[in-house]
Amino acid sequence: MKRYIYIFTAALALTLAAAPAAQAQEKATSQLPYKYESRLGICGYPTLDYENFTHFYYDPYYTGTPIKDIFSEYDGPTYMTGNIMASLDIHCRKRFTVSFGLATNGIWSNKYDAMTDLKTRHVSGVVVTALSQVKFNWIAREVVRVYSSLGLGITGGKFDDLSDAYLAGQAVLLGVSVGRRFVGFAELGSGSMYMGGMVGVGYRF
């Protein structure tokens, strides 16, 4: 009988001794092996930038071109780089990440004389967006992360005689990042910054 008591006491002592180590291991596996992730990516179609910073618009009450505009300058094709975004991800928990980013979208075009069709001047501008995001990690592994996110921020810019500032919002329906230290990522989303996708590279530390 005493032998069983000794065995039970020894087993209990080993269990109590191993408990803190087991808890520490469980806590460690609940966290990602990295805390931060710096990113650089290029976005898809710049939805609101195109609508707010170009002279193209739809007027349902359009009645014709004023006489003064017939002899003035006209716009050539307008080009954009698309939003190029640098961001920092902070992994607060295994399932949750917060991100702070800054994006720029370059715009340029040429003006032409309405009478001669000769180029009169070159115009350029830039649109800047500051965006904060909250990401939920559906899958969070050391190499692969699958996530969705919601972001809010502000956009402001100027191009030619157009200037504007407005709230920015962006949703990522599905994002995937692959890598250990150096990673590549791709996102599918929609919002004021872009519609379609975003691809880029990052570094975890």
Side-chain angles (χ1 to χ4, degrees):
M1 182 67 178
K2 291 182 179 181
R3 184 175 62 179
Y4 292 110
I5 294 176
Y6 293 148
I7 295 174
F8 176 78
T9 303
L12 181 61
L14 289 174
T15 302
L16 292 175
Q23 290 177 355
Q25 183 178 3
E26 182 180 356
K27 183 178 180 180
T29 57
S30 68
Q31 302 293 329
L32 292 170
Y34 44 85
K35 179 69 175 179
Y36 304 101
E37 184 175 328
S38 59
R39 291 182 157 204
L40 181 65
I42 184 166
C43 307
Y45 181 77
T47 318
L48 288 188
D49 290 1
Y50 180 78
E51 294 182 4
N52 294 327
F53 294 99
T54 68
H55 289 94
F56 175 82
Y57 61 92
Y58 171 70
D59 184 359
Y61 304 104
Y62 176 76
T63 57
T65 302
I67 294 178
K68 65 180 181 66
D69 290 343
I70 296 176
F71 303 101
S72 64
E73 293 178 319
Y74 67 88
D75 299 315
T78 300
Y79 302 96
M80 294 185 176
T81 61
N83 278 294
I84 300 173
M85 185 172 188
S87 62
L88 176 66
D89 286 9
I90 303 174
H91 302 290
C92 304
R93 293 288 186 273
K94 187 173 183 179
R95 294 297 179 187
F96 289 98
T97 300
V98 294
S99 177
F100 304 96
L102 191 67
T104 60
N105 180 17
I107 314 173
W108 68 96
S109 181
N110 293 322
K111 295 282 189 176
Y112 296 89
D113 185 270
M115 298 296 293
T116 64
D117 291 330
L118 295 176
K119 176 183 172 181
T120 57
R121 58 193 174 99
H122 177 79
V123 292
S124 60
V126 65
V127 182
V128 178
T129 299
L131 191 74
S132 299
Q133 301 178 79
V134 176
K135 301 181 179 181
F136 178 78
N137 303 313
W138 301 99
I139 299 175
R141 299 287 186 266
E142 184 176 356
V143 177
V144 178
R145 188 162 64 96
V146 179
Y147 56 91
S148 299
S149 72
L150 287 174
L152 289 175
I154 188 169
T155 295
K158 188 179 189 311
F159 171 67
D160 196 12
D161 58 345
L162 302 173
S163 60
D164 203 355
Y166 47 88
L167 290 177
Q170 189 69 36
V172 174
L173 305 178
L174 181 65
V176 179
S177 63
V178 179
R180 293 184 183 274
R181 287 291 184 182
F182 294 95
V183 302
F185 69 90
E187 298 178 353
L188 178 65
S190 179
S192 62
M193 274 187 58
Y194 70 87
M195 182 178 295
M198 176 180 180
V199 295
V201 294
Y203 177 74
R204 294 169 173 168
F205 58 98

